[in-house]
Amino acid sequence: MEQRIERAVLVGVRLDDDGQFDYSMEELASLAQACGVEVSGTVTQNLERPNPSHYIGSGKVKEILMFHDETDSNLVIFNDELSPSQIRNLETELDTKVIDRTMLILDIFARRAKTREAQLQVELAQLQYMLPRLVGLRASLSRQAGSTGGGVATRGPGETKLELDRRRIEDQIARLRRELESVKSHRETQRKRRVKRDVPVVSLVGYTNAGKSTIMNAMLAGIGDGAGRHVLEQDMLFATLDTSVRNIQLQDNREFLLTDTVGFVGKLPHHLVKAFRSTLEEAADADVLLHVVDVSHPEHRYMMDVTEDTLADIGIEGIPEIQVYNKSDLAGLEHPRKQGDGIWISAKQSDDISVLLEMIASKIFGDQVRVNLLIPFGRGDIVSYLNEHADVKETEYTEDGTLIDVELREADRERFSEFIAPPETAE
């Protein structure tokens, strides 16, 4: 079957208070390319407020129509979310398929979702977005009927879903919510197991394509994991959607769980944030957040703000954080360099990752204390636990039991307080 090539005109409206407009339009082009769409050009307009009926002015609609025909385009993508009536009116005037930034991002997520949970979350977000837009989207669908190979915004719930009436879509949304509740219940069980193990959790968060997966893989390589548990890493927006959890075992036997969540982006659709809420809440259980930033990007401060705002939207606040300024080599900055709760690194440099691991360890194991424990010979289970979960400095066998010089967490010191050796024994 011949693959239909989509060629799009990008449309943006610069409002008075939009200081990130230029970057937002660049990002829209990257999102389109991530969907395999060729960008034929860009049309922008300065407005105090969007036009209620077409989002843009009538003169600009005519300009887009002319440009669309001149470039032989078959798609128009708006940089902001459009109302159902705006989509309908624009498609009538332009006689072509019109989608907005939200639909474009949903389409990328539909293509990239691999696990059942991610697929359910994306499908739910798509249906919630489509429900009030059925009329406009049906018009768009009719324009696709003669094409081959599908195209943007025709995956996932796609064309068959658009033929369903409102009642059936609402029923489907209810079913998806029930399935997600079941998956969420399973995730909660996994979380409780982790809490029971009392292993610290570190979560990677940040803007899409900041290098979170690269950092996770570098940490795994640093502990000799090879490629066995590595996650996908690619230089593209939303390369991975699925939450990954890996155990990181340090050289001194201390360990923590490292989780990687979906990346954020400017104007991330509300439905998508809501649908991925249970996945993103992995970060809510973290002892430390690693906020990964592509410091080589000129808009990295804006990206940090988007990440912090999105975390706040889902109630993730007050968790200790390390700002990891990644790709510092591309920014021409010295690395690794620590400054307060921040560190400049290149994830490709193993020495940098070692320094980052030390910083994480000092953050999550800050309550470590060093004691001497005299363990009776009949309590080999305690000796085994300490060898596995603490940093044993020295072991000596005496007449009264096993004398262990160990660095452990304050909670474990209290747990084994009855075995703390008197000073004269430890000498």
Side-chain angles (χ1 to χ4, degrees):
M1 180 182 292
E2 182 185 350
Q3 182 65 38
R4 179 174 181 262
I5 297 175
E6 299 230 270
R7 189 173 292 104
V9 177
L10 307 185
V11 181
V13 171
R14 185 196 298 268
L15 301 175
D16 290 343
D17 59 348
D18 190 355
Q20 299 296 329
F21 177 75
D22 291 337
Y23 172 64
S24 181
M25 290 301 295
E26 289 175 20
E27 193 170 70
L28 183 67
S30 297
L31 290 167
Q33 288 159 7
C35 271
V37 175
E38 292 182 10
V39 176
S40 55
T42 301
V43 176
T44 63
Q45 184 173 30
N46 297 330
L47 291 175
E48 286 187 11
R49 65 184 67 85
N51 183 303
S53 63
H54 291 76
Y55 201 79
I56 52 177
S58 56
K60 193 60 66 170
V61 173
K62 293 175 182 175
E63 181 184 331
I64 292 170
L65 179 59
M66 289 177 58
F67 187 71
H68 173 273
D69 293 342
E70 287 172 4
T71 56
D72 195 28
S73 299
N74 49 22
L75 176 65
V76 175
I77 304 176
F78 276 72
N79 194 35
D80 294 291
E81 188 166 310
L82 301 174
S83 70
S85 62
Q86 286 168 342
I87 291 177
R88 187 167 59 251
N89 294 337
L90 284 164
E91 291 198 327
T92 300
E93 295 281 343
L94 298 173
D95 193 28
T96 194
K97 183 168 68 164
V98 175
I99 68 171
D100 58 22
R101 184 186 181 100
T102 296
M103 197 185 298
L104 187 63
I105 293 175
L106 287 171
D107 189 77
I108 293 173
F109 272 58
R111 293 168 187 242
R112 305 278 164 78
K114 297 291 184 265
T115 65
R116 180 59 181 157
E117 181 178 18
Q119 290 166 350
L120 288 170
Q121 289 167 326
V122 174
E123 188 174 354
L124 176 61
Q126 285 180 310
L127 290 173
Q128 288 173 323
Y129 173 82
M130 288 177 177
L131 191 56
R133 293 170 170 80
L134 284 176
V135 176
L137 290 171
R138 278 202 188 98
S140 177
L141 181 62
S142 67
R143 292 187 176 85
Q144 303 165 30
S147 66
T148 57
V152 174
T154 60
R155 303 176 73 93
E159 48 197 336
T160 56
K161 301 293 190 297
L162 293 176
E163 296 303 312
L164 300 175
D165 59 15
R166 182 177 298 273
R167 171 76 64 182
R168 289 189 60 190
I169 289 184
E170 287 173 343
D171 289 345
Q172 201 150 357
I173 286 174
R175 178 185 60 79
L176 288 169
R177 281 180 173 152
R178 286 194 299 271
E179 277 197 67
L180 278 170
E181 278 301 314
S182 175
V183 174
K184 183 179 179 181
S185 175
H186 178 65
R187 185 184 289 281
E188 285 296 328
T189 302
Q190 291 177 320
R191 284 179 187 163
K192 286 175 183 175
R193 283 183 192 148
R194 292 204 290 266
V195 171
K196 195 172 181 180
R197 283 182 61 199
D198 207 17
V199 178
V201 176
V202 177
S203 278
L204 291 156
V205 297
Y207 213 79
T208 181
N209 209 28
K212 299 186 302 299
S213 297
T214 304
I215 288 175
M216 175 176 271
N217 287 338
M219 286 188 186
L220 290 169
I223 61 172
D225 185 74
R229 296 181 300 153
H230 280 200
V231 296
L232 174 68
E233 57 176 274
Q234 280 183 277
D235 184 16
M236 65 192 305
L237 301 180
F238 302 115
T240 53
L241 300 182
D242 306 312
T243 298
S244 303
V245 182
R246 299 291 187 271
N247 183 274
I248 305 295
Q249 185 94 30
L250 302 175
Q251 291 180 344
D252 56 12
N253 286 330
R254 295 181 295 186
E255 63 179 330
F256 64 88
L257 290 175
L258 183 66
T259 69
D260 182 16
T261 56
V262 63
F264 303 135
V265 71
K267 303 180 184 179
L268 193 63
H270 174 72
H271 291 314
L272 207 53
V273 173
K274 196 172 178 182
F276 272 76
R277 191 181 196 91
S278 63
T279 304
L280 294 171
E281 282 174 352
E282 282 284 349
D285 291 329
D287 297 280
V288 172
L289 297 179
L290 293 187
H291 183 168
V292 182
V293 183
D294 177 1
V295 74
S296 70
H297 200 289
E299 298 292 340
H300 68 271
R301 290 292 172 189
Y302 164 72
M303 295 173 172
M304 292 178 73
D305 291 341
V306 168
T307 299
E308 295 291 354
D309 290 345
T310 307
L311 289 172
D313 284 346
I314 54 178
I316 300 177
E317 295 179 286
I319 298 174
E321 188 175 291
I322 297 174
Q323 285 85 37
V324 183
Y325 297 101
N326 189 31
K327 308 183 187 180
S328 60
D329 51 332
L330 300 179
L333 299 172
E334 178 188 350
H335 61 90
R337 179 162 61 93
K338 291 189 282 186
Q339 182 178 334
D341 287 326
I343 180 172
W344 279 254
I345 69 163
S346 167
K348 299 294 186 182
Q349 300 295 325
S350 58
D351 289 346
D352 291 19
I353 294 299
S354 296
V355 176
L356 175 59
L357 283 169
E358 289 172 8
M359 197 169 181
I360 294 170
S362 67
K363 202 86 167 175
I364 57 178
F365 302 115
D367 65 343
Q368 296 274 316
V369 292
R370 188 164 177 175
V371 296
N372 287 284
L373 300 177
L374 184 61
I375 311 297
F377 288 122
R379 295 302 307 270
D381 58 315
I382 296 177
V383 176
S384 177
Y385 175 87
L386 293 173
N387 280 318
E388 187 175 346
H389 297 285
D391 184 9
V392 176
K393 305 293 185 182
E394 190 177 345
T395 302
E396 181 184 343
Y397 300 100
T398 70
E399 292 181 0
D400 301 315
T402 305
L403 183 63
I404 299 179
D405 178 8
V406 60
E407 190 175 279
L408 39 61
R409 291 173 306 135
E410 179 64 34
D412 281 338
R413 189 196 71 80
E414 292 180 11
R415 178 180 171 190
F416 303 125
S417 59
E418 63 181 291
F419 303 113
I420 294 177
E424 62 272 15
T425 307
E427 290 176 356

